[in-house]
Structures are given as C-alpha cells and as structure tokens.
Amino acid sequence: MKVVFERPESLTPAPFRYCPGCGHSLIHRLLAESVDALGIREKTIGIAPVGCAVFAYDYFNFDMLEVAHGRPPAAATAMKKVLPDRIIFAYQGDGDLAAIGTAETVHAANRGERVTCIFVNNAVYGMTGGQMAPTTVVGQETTTSPGGRIPLRDGYPLDLSEMLGIAAGSVYIERTSVSNPKNILKTKKAIKKAFEVQLADKGFSMVEILSPCPTNWKMTPTEAARWVDETMTQFFPLKVIKDVA
Ligand code: SF4
C-alpha cells in the first residue's frame, strides 16, 4: 500500500532543517495539523523561541513572531490583549521556557492569560551544544554535567508543568511525548485541546512534549526515542497535570 503524506496547509513547503530523529519536526507537523483541523489558520499567531526551533517561522504558514529569549509568554500576553480574537501560541524549548523564561511563564499562567504554550522538553540545551538544562534528569550526561547530573552538585530536574498546575489561572496542562506512534497521537489530541481551551476563552493552556534530541544525547534516533520512554518519563511522567476546562 502506498502511503501518501500530504502537507498540512499550515506548513510551508520549506524542508525542516532539524537533525534526523529530532522531535521538533514531528511537533511542527502535529501543531499544523491541529490548526488546520480547527480551521483557525487565518487567525493564528505563533511565537518562535530562541533555541533549535528559532527558525520555526520558516515552517509555519501563518503569522509568526520572533522575540527575545524566554519572553514568548510576555509577548503572547501583549498580543492577546490587543488582538483578543486571535489564537496565540508560544513555541518554546526547555531552555527558553523553563530557564531564562521561567518568570514570564509562571506569571502568564498565574494571571490566567488566554494563550497557549507548546513546551518542547528535550532535557538539554540543544542549539548551544548540549549543556545541562533545568530539565536534565538525574544521571544524565551533558557537556556541563560530566559523569551525569548529581543532585547534590547540580540540583534536581525542574518540573515546571507541575508548578504551573498549582497556578490559579492555569486551566489545562498535559505532558505527552513524541517517542512512539501512540504518544504522537496523544500529543496531537493534547495540542488541539489546548487550542480549544483558548478558543473558549478559559485561561492558560500548555502542552509539555518530551522530545528526543539524538544529537546531543549522542544516541541514534531509535535509542533516543527509547530513552524518552524508559528514562525521561521516570522524572516527567506522561499525564494530564491539570484540566479544569
Ligand atoms: S540539536 Fe537536538 S533539538 Fe536541536 S535540532 Fe538537533 S536533535 Fe533537534
């Protein structure tokens, strides 16, 4: 049987420049398919991060903005205030959302901003060469945690989604992964639901997606996907963290 993958309208024809096995390509596609399914392409505005997905504006066929490192939730807040009928999302990695942008993320969630964060967690600083990130798991080897992350020396992995779950203004937070077909389908459903929460004007929504970074993890794409399932989920269990939608 010949399988034909049609390009969603919300993706441009630009070929992805991500490494083989990187989760960003999959997540871009799932996001584009969700926007198409909801028929909101003409009113969607995305914000690209600083990080490996910095060129996201090349790939999405709707309005995109680039802002300073970690500031997408603040920029999303401003855009939603002046353009309340638009669907605004911030696409961010763990360095962008859970390190330099922690304050912006926490306050946007706590204020209950009607925006959506797509949080791509690959447990490492990808673009700058694989340094330890707040989400690097215990024992994980990075260029700045040789021998593996040791809590007494390096601190513990930060579970920002759980933290945001106790914020009064957060409405829907789910953690998924793109490590296998079942979880890929769940991720698409979660992204669509996050947009639906925004469409219903209910409050802050976020989907955290555990995503392989084979290059910095020094694994093959298959090993990286398995590592997400077997190791990363021990520290970041896949689940609905909050749903009061
Ligand atoms: S370095 Fe990692 S996150 Fe960046 S494009 Fe390559 S695989 Fe993806």
Side-chain angles (χ1 to χ4, degrees), residues 6-33:
E6 286 185 4
R7 176 167 54 85
E9 202 186 356
S10 289
L11 282 183
T12 69
F16 292 135
R17 292 181 287 255
Y18 300 113
C19 309
C22 176
H24 280 304
S25 318
L26 269 169
I27 297 164
H28 282 15
R29 186 179 176 100
L30 298 175
L31 212 157
E33 287 177 351

Side-chain angles (χ1 to χ4, degrees), residues 191-214:
I191 293 172
K192 190 159 167 274
K193 173 154 181 171
F195 284 141
E196 283 166 347
V197 166
Q198 187 177 160
L199 278 163
D201 204 29
K202 288 191 170 161
F204 182 86
S205 56
M206 185 172 93
V207 184
E208 175 184 349
I209 305 163
L210 306 188
S211 174
C213 174

Side-chain angles (χ1 to χ4, degrees), residues 88-137:
I88 316 277
F89 74 87
Y91 186 103
Q92 298 177 267
D94 39 308
D96 201 56
L97 183 140
I100 195 162
T102 313
E104 283 74 7
T105 313
V106 168
H107 288 291
N110 200 52
R111 289 192 306 266
E113 299 298 346
R114 273 83 172 138
V115 299
T116 301
C117 286
I118 305 297
F119 169 23
V120 182
N121 178 1
N122 58 22
V124 79
Y125 284 101
M127 185 181 71
T128 49
Q131 296 88 350
M132 186 178 73
T135 50
T136 294
V137 305

